[in-house]
Amino acid sequence: MAVALQTVPAEARSEPTVPAAAAAAAAAATAATAPGGSHTVVTWGASADRMGDGVAGRGYRMVVHTSVAGGELRIRLSNAFGDRPVTFDSVYAGVQKEGATLVPRSNRRLTFGGGRTITVPAGATAYSDPLTGALPAATNLVVSIHSPDAAGPATGHGLAMQTSYATQGDHTSEESGTAWTDTVGAWYYLDAVTVRTGADTGAVVALGDSITDGWASTTDQNRRWPDYLARRLQRAGTAVRGVANEGISGNKVLADGAGQSALRRLQRDVLSQPGVRTVFLFEGVNDIKAHSGVTAQDLIAGYREIVDRAHAAGKCVVGATVGPFEGWSEWDPAGEAVRVEVNQFIRDSGEFDGVTDFDHILRSPYDQERMLPFFDSGDHLHPNDKGMQAMADAVDLAGLDCGR
């Protein structure tokens, strides 16, 4: 995707371009400059959590995959879990060529309030200034950051299912990958990327656990179910085109543990994202299998709070049923009874603006408490790539925009 983040005219570039992607990005960028005809939409997101201690002088080169095309790229840096300010003195955005190497002339400095340096207070986030140029959909965008003083709890996302890179010292401006010798499977401090696009274009945020996070899908191939959904939305040309994956492995609706609970992180990870039309809620299995005494009514109360808060913010909410997991070590008949009752509520209560029945899609017709072997990654809880695709294919695209 050599067209992304370029200011050099196309005829002067030697790198190959993808005409369809270029046209889409150009159209989005044109819409973004039309008076009254544009707004900001999230094109990539990852939920924040505590990531151990930050390292002074460390640089990260992070690969993220965009969903909706647009112009005026901005990134959001997060110090949500820090206990002290953290300074970023050099931040760049480019396009991946291979590994840590960038497409020539794609790497460009990001500024913050016109300056090259930003200090983010503990518990806060900060957006960059807009970057001119068009960013196509389905681009492997590379954000490189360096902090001279990182220390204390770092903020990031631990299960990226994507190879990124790290180094000591500031090599953010370099398009060569030579200095980026350490590979990492997490994203650090970066939790959102936005673009400016047509005012009729929106996004969906997937609020979930490890299944949404992509555990058991193929690393570096963007085969999480929200990735497959993003590709469907681009092909369909619907109004909802942006997809932000706000899954956290092990996450629960009601209790903190692997990340803050869905209830506690709803505002930061979901409702604060720009251009969101719909919240896609697919959580609950970790509450059920934890044997903590959570009842179906407890979970239903949690779902209702999420729906009420999302509706109050003007968002649609699609609920997804909890998939089968017999064969997983924590499965038992009592938990299965809770799952069945919760799924009946999701299907029949009418409190959601739409419902996607992942349970029906994933379960075996011969044993409805178990996942269909064809979709099973082998642990009986997490779908494989085929299962991820089947989940995305089950989503009613028109139902992602309820018109609130």
Side-chain angles (χ1 to χ4, degrees), residues 298-310:
D298 292 333
L299 261 178
I300 288 168
Y303 293 150
R304 282 180 167 143
E305 181 179 338
I306 291 171
V307 170
D308 289 347
R309 289 169 61 188

PDB file of all heavy atoms in Angstrom, residues 298-310:
ATOM      1  N   ASP A 298     -26.863 -12.189  37.169  1.00  0.00           N
ATOM      2  CA  ASP A 298     -25.742 -11.262  37.339  1.00  0.00           C
ATOM      3  C   ASP A 298     -25.227 -10.793  35.979  1.00  0.00           C
ATOM      4  O   ASP A 298     -24.997  -9.595  35.756  1.00  0.00           O
ATOM      5  CB  ASP A 298     -24.601 -11.937  38.094  1.00  0.00           C
ATOM      6  CG  ASP A 298     -24.923 -12.249  39.539  1.00  0.00           C
ATOM      7  OD1 ASP A 298     -25.766 -11.543  40.126  1.00  0.00           O
ATOM      8  OD2 ASP A 298     -24.340 -13.223  40.075  1.00  0.00           O
ATOM      9  N   LEU A 299     -25.017 -11.755  35.086  1.00  0.00           N
ATOM     10  CA  LEU A 299     -24.511 -11.402  33.756  1.00  0.00           C
ATOM     11  C   LEU A 299     -25.521 -10.568  32.983  1.00  0.00           C
ATOM     12  O   LEU A 299     -25.160  -9.596  32.310  1.00  0.00           O
ATOM     13  CB  LEU A 299     -24.177 -12.674  32.972  1.00  0.00           C
ATOM     14  CG  LEU A 299     -22.708 -13.100  32.947  1.00  0.00           C
ATOM     15  CD1 LEU A 299     -22.541 -14.403  32.184  1.00  0.00           C
ATOM     16  CD2 LEU A 299     -21.833 -12.020  32.330  1.00  0.00           C
ATOM     17  N   ILE A 300     -26.774 -10.925  33.077  1.00  0.00           N
ATOM     18  CA  ILE A 300     -27.813 -10.171  32.372  1.00  0.00           C
ATOM     19  C   ILE A 300     -27.845  -8.725  32.862  1.00  0.00           C
ATOM     20  O   ILE A 300     -27.989  -7.781  32.072  1.00  0.00           O
ATOM     21  CB  ILE A 300     -29.176 -10.863  32.548  1.00  0.00           C
ATOM     22  CG1 ILE A 300     -29.209 -12.157  31.714  1.00  0.00           C
ATOM     23  CG2 ILE A 300     -30.322  -9.942  32.144  1.00  0.00           C
ATOM     24  CD1 ILE A 300     -30.378 -13.076  32.027  1.00  0.00           C
ATOM     25  N   ALA A 301     -27.681  -8.527  34.174  1.00  0.00           N
ATOM     26  CA  ALA A 301     -27.631  -7.159  34.703  1.00  0.00           C
ATOM     27  C   ALA A 301     -26.445  -6.396  34.128  1.00  0.00           C
ATOM     28  O   ALA A 301     -26.544  -5.203  33.812  1.00  0.00           O
ATOM     29  CB  ALA A 301     -27.557  -7.196  36.231  1.00  0.00           C
ATOM     30  N   GLY A 302     -25.304  -7.076  33.966  1.00  0.00           N
ATOM     31  CA  GLY A 302     -24.145  -6.442  33.353  1.00  0.00           C
ATOM     32  C   GLY A 302     -24.391  -6.075  31.907  1.00  0.00           C
ATOM     33  O   GLY A 302     -24.033  -4.975  31.454  1.00  0.00           O
ATOM     34  N   TYR A 303     -25.001  -6.998  31.158  1.00  0.00           N
ATOM     35  CA  TYR A 303     -25.335  -6.705  29.767  1.00  0.00           C
ATOM     36  C   TYR A 303     -26.268  -5.494  29.680  1.00  0.00           C
ATOM     37  O   TYR A 303     -26.094  -4.612  28.822  1.00  0.00           O
ATOM     38  CB  TYR A 303     -26.030  -7.901  29.121  1.00  0.00           C
ATOM     39  CG  TYR A 303     -25.182  -9.138  28.932  1.00  0.00           C
ATOM     40  CD1 TYR A 303     -25.767 -10.405  28.962  1.00  0.00           C
ATOM     41  CD2 TYR A 303     -23.818  -9.056  28.706  1.00  0.00           C
ATOM     42  CE1 TYR A 303     -25.004 -11.561  28.773  1.00  0.00           C
ATOM     43  CE2 TYR A 303     -23.055 -10.194  28.517  1.00  0.00           C
ATOM     44  CZ  TYR A 303     -23.650 -11.442  28.558  1.00  0.00           C
ATOM     45  OH  TYR A 303     -22.906 -12.572  28.376  1.00  0.00           O
ATOM     46  N   ARG A 304     -27.258  -5.465  30.554  1.00  0.00           N
ATOM     47  CA  ARG A 304     -28.229  -4.355  30.513  1.00  0.00           C
ATOM     48  C   ARG A 304     -27.543  -3.019  30.784  1.00  0.00           C
ATOM     49  O   ARG A 304     -27.883  -2.009  30.162  1.00  0.00           O
ATOM     50  CB  ARG A 304     -29.336  -4.610  31.533  1.00  0.00           C
ATOM     51  CG  ARG A 304     -30.368  -5.624  31.049  1.00  0.00           C
ATOM     52  CD  ARG A 304     -31.446  -5.859  32.087  1.00  0.00           C
ATOM     53  NE  ARG A 304     -32.581  -6.579  31.518  1.00  0.00           N
ATOM     54  CZ  ARG A 304     -33.286  -7.496  32.168  1.00  0.00           C
ATOM     55  NH1 ARG A 304     -32.956  -7.824  33.419  1.00  0.00           N
ATOM     56  NH2 ARG A 304     -34.308  -8.095  31.586  1.00  0.00           N
ATOM     57  N   GLU A 305     -26.575  -3.000  31.699  1.00  0.00           N
ATOM     58  CA  GLU A 305     -25.880  -1.752  31.964  1.00  0.00           C
ATOM     59  C   GLU A 305     -25.087  -1.298  30.739  1.00  0.00           C
ATOM     60  O   GLU A 305     -25.082  -0.102  30.397  1.00  0.00           O
ATOM     61  CB  GLU A 305     -24.948  -1.900  33.167  1.00  0.00           C
ATOM     62  CG  GLU A 305     -24.226  -0.600  33.492  1.00  0.00           C
ATOM     63  CD  GLU A 305     -23.316  -0.683  34.693  1.00  0.00           C
ATOM     64  OE1 GLU A 305     -23.512  -1.569  35.538  1.00  0.00           O
ATOM     65  OE2 GLU A 305     -22.391   0.154  34.786  1.00  0.00           O
ATOM     66  N   ILE A 306     -24.426  -2.235  30.078  1.00  0.00           N
ATOM     67  CA  ILE A 306     -23.676  -1.878  28.869  1.00  0.00           C
ATOM     68  C   ILE A 306     -24.619  -1.342  27.795  1.00  0.00           C
ATOM     69  O   ILE A 306     -24.342  -0.316  27.148  1.00  0.00           O
ATOM     70  CB  ILE A 306     -22.879  -3.083  28.354  1.00  0.00           C
ATOM     71  CG1 ILE A 306     -21.732  -3.410  29.322  1.00  0.00           C
ATOM     72  CG2 ILE A 306     -22.327  -2.827  26.943  1.00  0.00           C
ATOM     73  CD1 ILE A 306     -21.007  -4.703  29.024  1.00  0.00           C
ATOM     74  N   VAL A 307     -25.748  -2.017  27.600  1.00  0.00           N
ATOM     75  CA  VAL A 307     -26.727  -1.567  26.607  1.00  0.00           C
ATOM     76  C   VAL A 307     -27.233  -0.172  26.951  1.00  0.00           C
ATOM     77  O   VAL A 307     -27.308   0.717  26.089  1.00  0.00           O
ATOM     78  CB  VAL A 307     -27.894  -2.569  26.505  1.00  0.00           C
ATOM     79  CG1 VAL A 307     -29.021  -1.990  25.654  1.00  0.00           C
ATOM     80  CG2 VAL A 307     -27.420  -3.893  25.912  1.00  0.00           C
ATOM     81  N   ASP A 308     -27.587   0.037  28.212  1.00  0.00           N
ATOM     82  CA  ASP A 308     -28.132   1.339  28.621  1.00  0.00           C
ATOM     83  C   ASP A 308     -27.111   2.455  28.418  1.00  0.00           C
ATOM     84  O   ASP A 308     -27.455   3.542  27.923  1.00  0.00           O
ATOM     85  CB  ASP A 308     -28.557   1.289  30.089  1.00  0.00           C
ATOM     86  CG  ASP A 308     -29.805   0.453  30.322  1.00  0.00           C
ATOM     87  OD1 ASP A 308     -30.485   0.112  29.330  1.00  0.00           O
ATOM     88  OD2 ASP A 308     -30.094   0.127  31.497  1.00  0.00           O
ATOM     89  N   ARG A 309     -25.866   2.209  28.789  1.00  0.00           N
ATOM     90  CA  ARG A 309     -24.839   3.248  28.640  1.00  0.00           C
ATOM     91  C   ARG A 309     -24.525   3.516  27.180  1.00  0.00           C
ATOM     92  O   ARG A 309     -24.324   4.676  26.780  1.00  0.00           O
ATOM     93  CB  ARG A 309     -23.583   2.835  29.401  1.00  0.00           C
ATOM     94  CG  ARG A 309     -23.747   2.894  30.917  1.00  0.00           C
ATOM     95  CD  ARG A 309     -22.591   2.220  31.639  1.00  0.00           C
ATOM     96  NE  ARG A 309     -21.304   2.856  31.346  1.00  0.00           N
ATOM     97  CZ  ARG A 309     -20.136   2.357  31.730  1.00  0.00           C
ATOM     98  NH1 ARG A 309     -20.082   1.217  32.406  1.00  0.00           N
ATOM     99  NH2 ARG A 309     -19.020   2.995  31.422  1.00  0.00           N
ATOM    100  N   ALA A 310     -24.504   2.461  26.361  1.00  0.00           N
ATOM    101  CA  ALA A 310     -24.256   2.651  24.928  1.00  0.00           C
ATOM    102  C   ALA A 310     -25.416   3.395  24.277  1.00  0.00           C
ATOM    103  O   ALA A 310     -25.204   4.308  23.463  1.00  0.00           O
ATOM    104  CB  ALA A 310     -24.023   1.313  24.252  1.00  0.00           C
TER     105      ALA A 310
END
